[in-house]
Amino acid sequence: MDKQGPEISVVVPVFDEQENLRPLYEQITQTLADGHSYEILFVDDGSQDGSFDVLAKLHKADAKVRVIRFRKNFGQTAALGAGFAHARGEIIVAMDADLQNDPADIPQMIAKLD
């Protein structure tokens, strides 16, 4: 592992998910706070609902949160691509912002990789 980067990067493409962002952030941090080094990389794909404002506040409050902001909507594939390109972790986990993926599954996935 690169000593500069975290063990895990959680990449989350975001498009108009303002209401889900804080609960998702809390679930991810609760899941990974048990000793894994991690970052959460949110990619705002041109949201117009205030999602970026929520992300900016999360970033300001937590150095483990990073945010990429697209000037317009380019789609989930482009958002994931940007997230993967900027992720610093040894393991990259992609997760939807709509709360359909359970962050509690991340440790099980990592255990299978080990």
Side-chain angles (χ1 to χ4, degrees):
M1 174 172 72
D2 182 347
K3 294 183 193 266
Q4 297 291 334
E7 179 184 2
I8 302 165
S9 292
V10 180
V11 174
V12 184
V14 175
F15 181 71
D16 291 344
E17 296 287 350
Q18 176 180 3
E19 298 301 318
N20 295 331
L21 295 173
R22 184 162 293 281
L24 176 61
Y25 162 78
E26 290 169 358
Q27 290 174 22
I28 294 170
T29 56
Q30 287 172 353
T31 298
L32 297 178
D34 66 353
H36 292 287
S37 63
Y38 68 94
E39 67 179 354
I40 307 170
L41 183 53
F42 290 100
V43 183
D44 183 350
D45 188 18
S47 295
Q48 298 180 5
D49 70 340
S51 290
F52 181 75
D53 294 334
V54 173
L55 296 174
K57 288 176 185 171
L58 291 173
H59 170 71
K60 186 175 181 179
D62 186 346
K64 293 181 180 187
V65 173
R66 299 173 56 215
V67 180
I68 297 171
R69 184 180 193 188
F70 288 174
R71 67 187 180 317
K72 67 176 191 168
N73 181 254
F74 288 98
Q76 185 180 36
T77 301
L80 284 170
F84 294 161
H86 288 87
R88 299 178 296 194
E90 181 178 341
I91 298 168
I92 300 174
V93 177
M95 181 162 286
D96 287 337
D98 60 8
L99 300 175
Q100 289 191 29
N101 303 120
D102 187 353
D105 293 336
I106 295 172
Q108 296 160 333
M109 184 191 77
I110 293 167
K112 287 187 180 201
L113 291 172
D114 288 339

